[in-house]
Amino acid sequence: MKYKRILLKLSGEALMGDRQYGIDPARLAEYAEEIKEIHDKGVEIAIVIGGGNIFRGVAGASNGMDRVQGDYMGMLATVINGMALQGALEEKGMLTRLQTALKIEAIAEPYIKRRAVRHLEKGRIVIFGAGTGNPYFTTDTAAVLRGVEVNADVILKGTRVDGVYTSDPEKNADAVKFDTISFEDVLKKGLNVMDTTAFTLSQENELPIVVFDMNKKGNLLKICEGQNIGTVVNV
């Protein structure tokens, strides 16, 4: 396999499937099956998942809610998603650990870097919930931060788009896809890969990002095998 240890970043919206909000059990089961394929090949897997299918702090703030309060609500939404994903993975026979940046001892371990690494070494899938534990930081930033901390080989950003384009392919039919692109060129062209904080952190630590379509069956395995899927953002 091309990658020994990965950090998989999933959006909360991806869990909605065809629903307007919440969690689609069928989509959850599909993701669990995809993750199992690479787990069975010996890939060490850490996961960060967003909470946009339940609550988004920025949206709350735009409607008059205190931004800090809204962001903490968003963090709790990621914990709910993490628990749902944990259940789906364990149903497929995988061992998992949910670690959260906010202490919720009844349902999850507190995030401890050394413990997380040990779980990965033992073949357990580690799900990181509650973002960074701080308001004003996105789950993209949390994903890169945790990826750096546990020495992941790559950030795999699973989206509904199959890579990075010159413009939004859902709005512009003439948008051209990049197979590979440098961090520098992404910034020069003003392309939207991750938020600026997350992207800069990834660039500074020379941690590559692969943006790919998580909803296409087999893509996750193909990337880990080294096939040219999605867009690779590298130094």
Side-chain angles (χ1 to χ4, degrees):
M1 305 297 277
K2 182 175 182 179
Y3 303 114
K4 171 67 175 168
R5 180 178 295 168
I6 67 162
L7 189 298
L8 176 62
K9 168 61 170 65
L10 298 173
S11 71
E13 288 92 336
L15 296 188
M16 293 191 298
D18 296 326
R19 301 182 177 201
Q20 297 300 310
Y21 62 88
I23 299 169
D24 179 3
R27 175 57 55 82
L28 208 55
E30 287 170 12
Y31 282 0
E33 194 60 49
E34 295 286 304
I35 292 165
K36 187 176 190 302
E37 283 188 341
I38 63 169
H39 180 264
D40 290 347
K41 298 277 188 181
V43 177
E44 295 174 2
I45 308 160
I47 302 172
V48 169
I49 190 161
N53 56 320
I54 299 171
F55 189 84
R56 188 178 287 281
V58 174
S62 68
N63 290 321
M65 180 180 287
D66 176 69
R67 172 65 189 273
V68 173
Q69 190 83 339
D71 280 356
Y72 277 117
M73 291 171 69
M75 289 178 219
L76 294 176
T78 71
V79 176
I80 292 172
N81 284 340
M83 291 175 70
L85 183 60
Q86 182 179 38
L89 293 171
E90 290 185 342
E91 204 169 283
K92 302 279 184 187
M94 289 166 275
L95 295 175
T96 70
R97 291 293 186 274
L98 175 61
Q99 291 197 345
T100 57
L102 302 174
K103 288 185 179 179
I104 318 176
E105 287 94 338
I107 56 171
E109 296 178 359
Y111 171 68
I112 299 171
K113 184 249 186 189
R114 288 176 182 270
R115 186 181 287 179
V117 170
R118 189 74 183 119
H119 288 323
L120 292 169
E121 290 171 347
K122 288 186 172 183
R124 298 167 184 150
I125 296 172
V126 183
I127 303 166
F128 297 120
T132 66
N134 301 289
Y136 296 99
F137 289 93
T138 66
T139 47
D140 276 353
T141 300
V144 176
L145 178 62
R146 296 292 182 248
V148 171
E149 286 180 309
V150 302
N151 298 314
D153 299 321
V154 67
I155 302 289
L156 301 184
K157 183 172 181 180
T159 68
R160 62 186 182 187
V161 181
D162 64 345
V164 178
Y165 284 76
T166 50
S167 60
D168 189 342
E170 293 180 349
K171 296 176 181 175
N172 180 12
D174 296 324
V176 178
K177 177 174 168 271
F178 297 99
D179 288 330
T180 60
I181 189 170
S182 69
F183 284 106
E184 196 177 331
D185 283 345
V186 168
L187 293 171
K188 275 182 186 174
K189 296 175 189 294
L191 303 174
N192 185 24
V193 175
M194 282 183 164
D195 72 80
T196 310
T197 307
F199 193 75
T200 304
L201 187 61
S202 191
Q203 182 181 22
E204 286 176 351
N205 289 277
E206 298 183 0
L207 181 59
I209 303 166
V210 179
V211 180
F212 72 105
D213 182 358
M214 182 67 187
N215 296 333
K216 187 168 182 183
K217 188 171 173 56
N219 269 359
L220 188 58
L221 177 61
K222 288 173 183 174
I223 289 170
C224 291
E225 288 175 337
Q227 294 187 41
N228 187 20
I229 302 291
T231 300
V232 180
V233 184
N234 217 328
V235 179

